[in-house]
Amino acid sequence: MAIKKEQKVLLTKQGLADLEQELAELVARRPEIANKIREAKDYGDLSENASYDEAREEQAFLEGRIEEIEAMLKNVQMVSNHHSEEVEIGSTVSVEVNGEQKQYRIVGSTEANPIEGKLSNESPVGSALLGRRKGEEVEVEIPVGTVVYKITSIN
C-alpha cells in the first residue's frame, strides 16, 4: 500500500496500537537479518549462494514494510469510537443477513480484516452501511448478487 504524502490513514486506537507493535517487532528483527547476511557471506561465492540471496530478500521485504508502516504512521487520522445513531468509521454494527446475525466493525482500509469482522469503509458492505441507522435495510451488490443487510444495532 503506497501512501501519498497528503493521504490520510484512518485508524482506530486498536489499529494504531497494532501498527506500532508490528513496527517494533520488525525493527527488532533487523539485527537478526543482518546476522544472517553476514553468516551467508562467510560461505564464500555470493553468485551461487542461496542463503545469501534469501537473507537479502528477507531484508528487502523487512525494510520495505518498515518504510510503509512509518509512512502510514506519519499520516494517521485517528477515528474515535463514537456512540452515534448512525454507522460511522469506528462503529460496531450488528446486522441480520439471510436470517443470520452478524457483527462488523467499520474501520479504515489499513486495518480491514473481513475474517475478523473488520470491514473497510471503502468496501461494498462497509460503504453501504455508513450513515445508516438502526432498523434500516441496505441492499448491497456483491459478486453473487444483491444481499440485504438489516441493521439491528449500532455501538
Side-chain angles (χ1 to χ4, degrees):
M1 167 187 243
I3 303 295
K4 295 178 185 173
K5 214 173 200 180
E6 67 282 348
Q7 182 180 1
K8 290 295 177 194
V9 177
L10 302 174
L11 288 176
T12 61
K13 187 176 181 180
Q14 183 60 52
L16 178 61
D18 291 346
L19 257 183
E20 288 172 336
Q21 179 181 349
E22 182 183 355
L23 178 61
E25 290 169 3
L26 292 172
V27 168
R29 288 192 55 216
R30 278 177 164 159
E32 169 195 337
I33 294 181
N35 214 20
K36 281 183 183 180
I37 292 171
R38 260 191 304 281
E39 287 175 8
K41 280 182 178 178
D42 291 342
Y43 295 145
D45 185 11
L46 297 180
S47 65
E48 294 182 20
N49 189 330
S51 296
Y52 178 77
D53 292 341
E54 184 180 312
R56 292 291 299 189
E57 284 178 25
E58 191 175 356
Q59 181 186 43
F61 174 79
L62 180 87
E63 293 301 328
R65 184 63 182 151
I66 288 171
E67 185 177 309
E68 181 179 41
I69 292 172
E70 287 174 340
M72 284 188 245
L73 292 174
K74 286 179 184 172
N75 293 296
V76 166
Q77 179 177 338
M78 292 299 296
V79 176
S80 60
N81 296 339
H82 295 245
H83 291 291
S84 172
E85 298 290 318
E86 293 184 348
V87 177
E88 54 192 24
I89 299 172
S91 295
T92 299
V93 184
S94 295
V95 295
E96 186 178 308
V97 184
N98 299 325
E100 188 179 326
Q101 278 292 108
K102 296 188 178 198
Q103 189 174 56
Y104 301 113
R105 177 112 191 252
I106 308 300
V107 296
S109 61
T110 304
E111 61 183 301
N113 186 336
I115 293 170
E116 294 178 2
K118 296 177 182 177
L119 299 182
S120 167
N121 63 311
E122 299 172 6
S123 71
V125 175
S127 64
L129 291 172
L130 286 174
R132 302 302 183 114
R133 296 175 173 271
K134 179 180 174 183
E136 284 191 57
E137 290 188 354
V138 181
E139 289 186 5
V140 181
E141 288 292 327
I142 59 174
V144 295
T146 302
V147 177
V148 177
Y149 292 80
K150 181 175 182 179
I151 301 172
T152 56
S153 71
I154 304 168
N155 295 314

